[in-house]
Amino acid sequence: MTTTGRFTLPGEENFAEKTKELAKLWGADAIRNSDGTRLDQELLNLGMKVYSAYFPTRAHNEWISKHMDETPQVYLMSERILAHEDQVQIPLMDRYFDQQLRPNRDADPHRYWEVIDRTSGRVLDQSKWSLDPDQDLVRVTEATPMHEYTASFLAYIIWDPVEMYNHLTNDWGDKEHEIPLDIYHPATRKFVMDAYRQWLDENPATDVVRFTTFFYQFTLIFNQLHREKLVDWFGYACTVSPQALDDFETRYGYRLRPEDFINKGSYNSSFCIPGRAQRDWIDFLSDFVWENVKTMVDMTHQAGKEAMMFLGDQWIGTEPYKPGFEKLGLDAVVGSVGDGTTLRMISDIPGVRYTEGRFLPYFFPDTFHEGNDPSIEGLDNWRKARRAILRSPISRMGYGGYPSLAAKFPKFVQTVARIADEFRDLHDRTNG
């Protein structure tokens, strides 16, 4: 039975000796840096393939902090406010996390926002409402008593949602919040491409660039309690900007409404049947994303490195099952394995040389804490994935997070060793 290969190990700083032990035990032939960490030179010298996570649209606060009108934006719906008289005040940020989101007070609200009588479904005339930018309130006049009203508004995303999740989960304290960038703006797009070109020059030890991911985050909005309020892994809510909306109108001949994104508060969940506007927006955005992904992939290959896409985080607009995906030239796709369904979503992707699964649990303190047994989740995750692997195998497996946490749980360490050997054994017995 093969006992090495097909395994990617997460690494972190100042943990080289134990990481080498884990690499030997788990048969790792590749190592990658985890979010917020770098690999020590001692790990780079082990002779394993080196993956480097690269975030095109975050971790560049020196640029975006001077261009805060070029962060990604999202259409949000306020809470439903019941009118008791003919005047209504709608607080925009009620039950949203103000460290993640800030209303866009720069673009004309009467051009890009809507106020809706949700009881009747009627969109209010622009003369019937106004924005108080100092208090982030929408004031409605001539309201109908006992009707509910909402404001649909554009908001800047001012804290990268995934870095925010990691920050809060791992209690990173006063670590600087990473502000996301929207490359739809030409100046920011040029900055992102120039920064990547420089990064390639400065990282000769990297064999595989693990794009995590590209430009637009799936829908991940937190509430005032710092918890998930809206989550849709397939959602396109966080992809808008006034310029993109105007360009869409020029190209398609009709103008999108905020309601085309909000959809009465469902935000076009994948459980809803998509309408024409949603499908057109996906095509519009994907064309833009693919053009710029191809630019970054070509730069990667010119530097002598492989280009791997993580099917998560800022993956929106890449759509691996959309016709033409193979033209991007990506070498590989890696994704998080939650069960057999998500494994097949990765392993069935056409047009790449190999696929890789990141198994659970993630080496984070929400799972790796005193009194818990992470091996239970590890085995459950593996059993669900194994059946799918027998039908359509991924080429490689691995884990994510911080190995210093996993190393504190010997039973889990041995469980991963058995899973890794079984994964390789399946490949040996079936020739892939």
Side-chain angles (χ1 to χ4, degrees):
M1 181 174 70
T2 304
T3 57
T4 59
R6 298 188 182 275
F7 192 100
T8 303
L9 175 72
E12 62 181 297
E13 296 160 294
N14 304 316
F15 198 67
E17 286 304 316
K18 190 64 179 180
T19 302
K20 287 191 283 187
E21 293 179 22
L22 293 175
K24 184 176 181 180
L25 182 63
W26 293 346
D29 60 344
I31 191 166
R32 74 178 185 89
N33 62 311
S34 295
D35 191 2
T37 72
R38 296 179 180 273
L39 297 178
D40 291 329
Q41 189 61 44
E42 191 173 354
L43 294 178
L44 296 177
N45 293 339
L46 290 178
M48 293 191 287
K49 204 169 187 176
V50 176
Y51 292 16
S52 292
Y54 190 79
F55 309 91
T57 55
R58 52 178 272 208
H60 295 295
N61 282 10
E62 75 284 356
W63 167 266
I64 196 61
S65 61
K66 300 174 184 176
H67 305 82
M68 290 298 288
D69 59 340
E70 299 194 2
T71 69
Q73 296 177 55
V74 57
Y75 267 123
L76 298 175
M77 186 179 80
S78 71
E79 290 294 299
R80 294 169 181 256
I81 304 299
L82 182 66
H84 294 279
E85 50 189 30
D86 62 358
Q87 306 286 321
V88 177
Q89 293 188 356
I90 304 175
L92 299 178
M93 290 297 293
D94 188 23
R95 301 194 182 182
Y96 288 108
F97 185 25
D98 60 6
Q99 293 184 50
Q100 181 193 14
L101 304 159
R102 189 185 73 209
N104 179 345
R105 312 177 195 102
D106 302 311
D108 179 4
H110 285 111
R111 176 170 173 80
Y112 296 102
W113 300 14
E114 283 182 337
V115 176
I116 298 178
D117 178 336
R118 291 291 175 182
T119 303
S120 68
R122 179 173 59 91
V123 178
L124 269 61
D125 186 88
Q126 296 177 0
S127 64
K128 306 301 182 186
W129 62 271
S130 62
L131 170 66
D132 180 342
D134 295 327
Q135 299 188 58
D136 286 331
L137 282 173
V138 165
R139 303 182 190 280
V140 179
T141 59
E142 300 182 30
T144 303
M146 305 312 296
H147 280 213
E148 290 184 325
Y149 291 83
T150 65
S152 305
F153 62 101
L154 278 174
Y156 292 116
I157 302 171
I158 58 175
W159 191 357
D160 179 87
V162 171
E163 200 266 344
M164 178 184 69
Y165 171 84
N166 292 342
H167 197 297
L168 297 172
T169 301
N170 291 285
D171 193 20
W172 286 346
D174 59 359
K175 181 182 182 294
E176 184 180 22
H177 297 179
E178 294 185 3
I179 307 168
L181 299 79
D182 184 358
I183 70 161
Y184 203 85
H185 306 279
T188 291
R189 182 163 65 250
K190 181 180 185 304
F191 171 83
V192 165
M193 296 303 175
D194 289 346
Y196 182 53
R197 191 173 291 107
Q198 180 179 343
W199 183 90
L200 287 170
D201 291 340
E202 294 174 350
N203 288 270
T206 297
D207 300 302
V208 180
V209 181
R210 184 186 184 274
F211 289 104
T212 315
T213 302
F214 287 103
F215 312 124
Y216 294 103
Q217 172 72 41
F218 65 85
T219 305
L220 180 58
I221 302 298
F222 274 42
N223 65 16
Q224 79 282 9
L225 301 176
H226 309 178
R227 305 205 175 184
E228 294 175 351
K229 178 179 175 72
L230 300 170
V231 182
D232 181 5
W233 198 76
F234 299 95
Y236 275 68
C238 300
T239 62
V240 296
S241 66
Q243 186 60 58
L245 292 166
D246 292 347
D247 290 347
F248 177 93
E249 182 179 14
T250 299
R251 175 170 162 182
Y252 284 87
Y254 70 96
R255 186 161 189 82
L256 293 176
R257 294 175 51 204
E259 191 67 5
D260 291 323
F261 294 91
I262 290 171
N263 194 16
K264 301 178 183 177
S266 76
Y267 293 87
N268 288 322
S269 161
S270 52
F271 292 97
C272 301
I273 298 172
R276 175 195 173 191
Q278 185 183 2
R279 293 195 303 269
D280 284 351
W281 180 258
I282 290 174
D283 287 343
F284 171 80
L285 189 80
S286 295
D287 287 349
F288 172 76
V289 168
W290 283 16
E291 178 183 353
N292 289 282
V293 168
K294 184 66 166 64
T295 297
M296 300 193 88
V297 169
D298 289 347
M299 290 166 63
T300 307
H301 290 159
Q302 289 163 12
K305 306 178 190 302
E306 294 181 21
M308 170 183 275
M309 180 186 99
F310 176 55
L311 192 61
D313 293 10
Q314 280 86 357
W315 81 279
I316 293 301
T318 58
E319 296 295 346
Y321 292 98
K322 191 174 174 63
F325 176 77
E326 70 282 353
K327 296 178 183 178
L328 298 180
L330 286 160
D331 298 284
V333 173
V334 59
S336 180
V337 176
D339 53 26
T341 304
T342 50
L343 186 134
R344 286 292 297 268
M345 189 164 63
I346 301 163
S347 64
D348 289 352
I349 291 173
V352 293
R353 291 194 295 109
Y354 63 97
T355 54
E356 181 171 322
R358 190 194 71 195
F359 284 71
L360 296 176
Y362 212 65
F363 303 166
F364 270 9
D366 54 343
T367 300
F368 289 82
H369 58 81
E370 186 176 353
N372 195 37
D373 182 359
S375 63
I376 295 173
E377 183 180 352
L379 282 171
D380 181 62
N381 186 246
W382 168 243
R383 290 181 185 120
K384 291 174 181 176
R386 182 172 54 191
R387 292 172 64 93
I389 289 172
L390 290 170
R391 293 294 188 97
S392 177
I394 51 174
S395 307
R396 301 180 55 81
M397 68 170 294
Y399 287 85
Y402 306 103
S404 59
L405 285 174
K408 296 176 181 178
F409 295 80
K411 181 181 177 182
F412 176 78
V413 169
Q414 292 300 322
T415 297
V416 172
R418 293 196 300 272
I419 290 171
D421 283 342
E422 189 174 346
F423 177 75
R424 286 184 285 259
D425 193 39
L426 291 177
H427 276 277
D428 289 347
R429 292 174 183 270
T430 62
N431 292 320

